[in-house]
Amino acid sequence: MYTITRKEWERILIDHPDYVGKSMLRHEHEGRVCEAGDACCFEYLLPGAPNTGATLVFEHIHFEIV
């Protein structure tokens, strides 16, 4: 699980608007839930994440904005 500050997230939104979005559906993975409207993006945009290309990650499942 990655942790990202609100300021870092806002910077990603500004710098990469085409690669950040909102989850369209509520879904669950390994007991964690991402609600419709929660954030999603490509993993490589998150600070500290490896450059894995187009791996899609979801808020509350793969990362938290604190």
Side-chain angles (χ1 to χ4, degrees):
M1 173 78 70
Y2 298 104
T3 302
I4 183 171
T5 66
R6 178 67 53 189
K7 186 175 182 177
E8 289 170 322
W9 180 251
E10 289 172 0
R11 186 81 247 163
I12 291 171
L13 291 173
I14 291 167
D15 292 346
H16 305 281
D18 294 337
Y19 300 100
V20 178
K22 295 185 181 276
S23 179
M24 294 173 60
L25 302 171
R26 180 187 191 278
H27 63 284
E28 183 177 340
H29 179 72
E30 296 180 359
R32 295 181 177 164
V33 176
C34 179
E35 298 289 346
D38 285 347
C40 62
C41 68
F42 292 123
E43 183 178 27
Y44 79 91
L45 295 174
L46 300 177
N51 185 354
T52 56
T55 301
L56 191 59
V57 292
F58 295 91
E59 186 177 7
H60 306 302
I61 292 176
H62 303 105
F63 69 95
E64 292 289 341
I65 302 170
V66 295

